Structure formats: structure tokens, C-alpha cells
Amino acid sequence: IIEGLPWADPDTINDAGSVSLYQAKAPVTAMFLSNTSIDENVSDIDIGDIDFVDVSRGEVHAITILTPNSPFEMVGTTLRVPPGAVIDHETTPSVDVLIRVDDTNDSTLETTFTIDVIDQNDPPNVPDATVELAENSVEDTLVTDLNDASTGLDEDGDGFALTYQIVDGNDQAFFDIDPDTGVVTVTALGAAGLDFETVSQYILTIGVSDNTMSVGSQLTIDITNVDEGPTLENPIADITVDEDAPNTV
């Protein structure tokens, strides 16, 4: 150390006689994150790099996440979304993460960063379903009302209107679906043809679209038996007989 310059580095005196100054035990005074936003529903990606201000020389720094159960991880100086840690904008529009920097001079700095989760177009969420339907149901009988499971409406989580169609399993045209509401009903052909003893189950593939993304879901319709009363396999024809005729049926 040069007398009178307790922070001067003797090894940095140049030919002109000037010196570089440093503070031997300076604290970490500021922390920065190079990026503070991510797209929703992505994982195994880098968010940004942590940088900080520390005028001390030769320091070794440790960077850790203090937030309990954080969906993020630190790899070196990089904040990341690890594999499998998918974050959904609809449930978590932003995430706060508390990060600490420690140096070998026992200096510590903690800073909270807010990571914005950017909304993306989600596919419709119409899960598979199984319903029961009585045989011999009349035309326009309600089978089920399909809608997005995330919203409970005929729009997905992004607010886009859904459209519906039956794409498979309706060869006999026993069922119809409203393209705007997802309501499945019995057609006139179905009213005449739905019979438990003939076919007890129908499996329909329903196509659902928000005009950008499409999904398919399976609707299983179990036909239930209805007591239709006894029937004669060989009914007796109408006959006439004379009254008082002996031994005559």
C-alpha cells in the first residue's frame, strides 16, 4: 500500500506514475438482472444474468435465491426456469424472486426482482367426458354441454371464442353439436334409432378450436336401458268365432 493512499495498488503504478485505486473491503452496492420477463408455459430457459457493483478486487461472489419454493434456479450468475417448472400467466401473471449476493469480505446485498409472465395463446381445455343417455330419447334431448374447463365458458383462457364440431363417431348422425355453444343433442335420426339392445355406447371425437389452436376431446355416451314392458314374440291374430261354438279358440 502506498503511503497516504491506503486503497492504492502498488502493482498498478504505470510509467507515468499514476495509480489505480480500489477499496480493499468495499461492499456490494447494487444488483441488476439483465431481463425480467418470460413467456408463459415454457421451461428449461434462461431468464437473465445477475450483475452487481463491487469495487473490491479479487472478490469471490456467491449468488443464491432466498425465495422459498421459487420456480426459478440459479446456475452461476444466470437466473433460469428449470425443466418442468412451467408457469401459467392466467394463475401467475408475475413472480417475485429475492436474490442475495455474498462476497468473501462478508458483504451481502439482497434484491427482489419481479419477473413478468407474458400471456400466450393457450389451446382450448375441453377434457374427455362420459355421460349417460336413455334409449328412445326424443329429438333435441340434451346429451351434454361442453365448454372450456379453465373458464367454464365457450371461450378459452385467453378470451377467444370457441367453435365445436363432431369429427368422428357420428356415422349414423344420431347426435348434433351447436358450433357456438358446444351443446350436444339428439337428432331426429337418433330419436328413432337409439336402442340399448342394439348399441349401448357411442364414442364421439369432438374438435374444439379458438380459431388459432385446435384440440380434440372424446365424448363417451352410454345408452341406458329403459323398461319397455313385455312384448309378444308371436302375437295372436284377430279371429272371430260363432257364439256357443264348441271347442273353438
Side-chain angles (χ1 to χ4, degrees):
I1 300 300
I2 299 175
E3 185 178 354
L5 296 176
W7 297 347
D9 181 358
D11 296 330
T12 60
I13 300 177
N14 59 28
D15 294 338
S18 63
V19 297
S20 298
L21 302 181
Y22 73 97
Q23 188 172 348
K25 292 186 178 181
V28 179
T29 57
M31 191 190 319
F32 309 95
L33 179 59
S34 62
N35 176 61
T36 57
S37 66
I38 57 172
D39 290 340
E40 68 169 342
N41 302 326
V42 293
S43 61
D44 197 17
I45 63 164
D46 294 345
I47 300 172
D49 293 322
I50 294 292
D51 198 3
F52 43 85
V53 176
D54 187 348
V55 297
S56 301
R57 295 185 55 192
E59 295 281 354
V60 176
H61 298 86
I63 306 174
T64 54
I65 295 174
L66 299 184
T67 304
N69 303 314
S70 174
F72 307 132
E73 66 178 359
M74 287 300 308
V75 178
T77 61
T78 301
L79 183 66
R80 304 189 76 256
V81 181
V86 176
I87 305 173
D88 180 55
H89 168 84
E90 279 69 36
T91 58
T92 312
S94 65
V95 181
D96 289 338
V97 56
L98 177 61
I99 296 178
R100 183 177 69 197
V101 175
D102 296 284
D103 66 18
T104 49
N105 283 325
D106 297 325
S107 170
T108 295
L109 179 66
E110 296 179 2
T111 303
T112 297
F113 297 100
T114 298
I115 309 301
D116 294 321
V117 181
I118 307 303
D119 196 15
Q120 304 294 311
N121 183 24
D122 296 320
N125 180 16
V126 180
D128 295 343
T130 299
V131 298
E132 291 186 347
L133 178 68
E135 65 176 344
N136 306 324
S137 292
V138 299
E139 184 179 1
D140 294 328
T141 296
L142 174 66
V143 179
T144 190
D145 183 0
L146 301 173
N147 49 53
D148 186 271
S150 300
T151 65
L153 303 171
D154 297 311
E155 61 181 32
D156 61 13
D158 307 292
F160 294 100
L162 302 181
T163 56
Y164 306 84
Q165 61 176 326
I166 301 174
V167 296
D168 194 26
N170 195 33
D171 296 340
Q172 296 171 292
F174 283 175
F175 306 100
D176 185 40
I177 189 168
D178 188 302
D180 298 318
T181 67
V183 171
V184 181
T185 56
V186 175
T187 65
L189 290 174
L194 290 171
D195 179 59
F196 172 82
E197 286 74 23
T198 303
V199 178
S200 62
Q201 186 181 80
Y202 296 87
I203 300 177
L204 308 182
T205 300
I206 309 296
V208 187
S209 173
D210 67 4
N211 202 37
T212 300
M213 305 184 74
S214 299
V215 297
S217 65
Q218 181 173 288
L219 174 60
T220 300
I221 304 172
D222 291 328
I223 305 301
T224 59
N225 196 20
V226 174
D227 185 2
E228 299 168 299
T231 59
L232 294 175
E233 186 173 338
N234 296 299
I236 300 174
D238 293 335
I239 59 175
T240 58
V241 296
D242 294 333
E243 62 177 338
D244 301 325
N247 301 321
T248 300
V249 178

